Amino acid sequence: MNLIDSYIEYVRTVRRYSPRTVSIYSDVLKDYFAFVSSKSDEPVSETEFIESLNVSEIRQYEAGLMDGKYPKSARTVNLH
């Protein structure tokens, strides 16, 4: 997704985050995008992705991380 790639490039070049932080941010954003995409039968547009960044959707994502097939620790959920 171009929006995620643009943000990752921003944190890498402008904010000058460490390579490890950039990698974590990238993985988390792609995981969230996969979560949003899994709720739709059609490809998710950038606009729909941005609109999904709300309290309700993010709480559903967090709940899925905690209660999913492979539950994540509280620290990992907080990172996401």
Side-chain angles (χ1 to χ4, degrees):
M1 162 161 248
N2 192 28
L3 184 64
I4 292 173
D5 295 336
S6 295
Y7 181 72
I8 295 303
E9 185 63 23
Y10 165 76
V11 297
R12 178 184 298 118
T13 58
V14 176
R15 299 295 301 213
R16 297 174 49 132
Y17 288 179
S18 75
R20 177 72 178 135
T21 301
V22 170
S23 175
I24 291 169
Y25 276 36
S26 178
D27 292 345
V28 168
L29 285 170
K30 288 176 182 174
D31 192 45
Y32 182 74
F33 181 77
F35 166 77
V36 171
S37 296
S38 72
K39 297 172 74 176
S40 175
D41 293 335
E42 297 180 18
V44 176
S45 70
E46 288 186 358
T47 303
E48 292 169 323
F49 180 66
I50 291 169
E51 289 172 353
S52 76
L53 295 170
N54 61 58
V55 173
S56 175
E57 289 288 327
I58 293 172
R59 294 254 168 106
Q60 288 178 25
Y61 174 68
E62 290 175 334
L65 290 174
M66 291 185 288
D67 300 332
K69 186 175 180 181
Y70 302 104
K72 307 285 189 225
S73 70
R75 183 175 181 192
T76 299
V77 172
N78 191 40
L79 172 71
H80 281 247

